[in-house]
Amino acid sequence: MECEDARTLDFVGDIHGFVDPLKRLLEKLGYQKTQTGWTHPHARLVFLGDLIDRGPGQKETVELVRTLCESGLATCLSGNHEFNAVGFVTPRPDQPDQMIRSHTPNHIAQHEAFLEAYANDAAGYQETLKWFQTLPIWFESDRVRAVHACWHLGSQQTLAPYLDAANRPRSLEFFKASGIPGSKAWEAREITLNGLEARLPDAASFEDYYGVTRRKIRVNWWAPEQRTYRDAAVIDDTQRARIPNLPMHEPVPDYRDTLCFFGHYWMRGRPRIEHPRAVCLDYSVALEDGVLCAYRFQNEVDACAAHLVWASKT
Ligand SMILES: [Mn+2]
């Protein structure tokens, strides 16, 4: 994709197979389907990953986004769900009888809508997984950045040897190396695609919304100056009091760099800018009241709320 030529870049959050809101969002942003394919007079798209799992239009979403990419109008980053789809059928190099994405009942349930959509289309399934293997892990230009979950330089340096100049996996080696639990590449890929986490000190734990005991929090890497685990946790405010109010052991990255868009975090409510340089565009389209959110970037240094565009499910 020739991003330098585009005057406008539209970043699009997690779609999870909800193809109708995607079509409405593209329409709102001025993309048009013509006889020869999709066009826009001055804009290009960057999808932030997690095209699949959950929603009713698994194949349709993949096909639409792929068509946009192949017509030079879009680039699509890998989310953790695309990584997991490849990992679901790729053996672990350290334990070849296991897959990189293990087949626990929970993991199968999470992936069911996708598997079902391709149940009678083995060729389409293989073709789609092959395409997922080529998706860039992050996007970077002079003025703007994007990644599925967390912009983390140390992790990017660890992953770089497995990626080409456009941050696409060079081969299946990226999946294998980052599919061995506990390896440096595994940790780096987890941070980049699933987000930064912090282990609570000593024996501290909390019960999450579903009653599961947790010893780690998801760290709000984009918000400045959190001092306690309670402040730093990515959690709905109604649930925040569950997290121990203990001082953070490790410093929280305080992001002040080039404007960065990301998805993954299941934000709720009306889309908003919480931080001028780090903007989450995942507004939980898979949930009943969720929306599919985009940001129209026009070379501004700080994000502004007027550039948020979204489509609801109905
Ligand atoms: Mn995700």
Side-chain angles (χ1 to χ4, degrees), residues 3 22 44 78 98 102 107 113 168 173 294:
C3 295
L22 173 58
R44 299 286 181 270
S78 177
Q98 304 258 339
S102 62
H107 290 173
R168 293 175 302 221
E173 204 48 45

Side-chain angles (χ1 to χ4, degrees), residues 14 16 50 79-81 148 193 263-266 282:
D14 308 33
H16 285 302
D50 279 7
N80 54 310
H81 285 257
H148 182 63
L193 298 187
H264 187 66
Y265 284 96
W266 294 85
D282 175 18

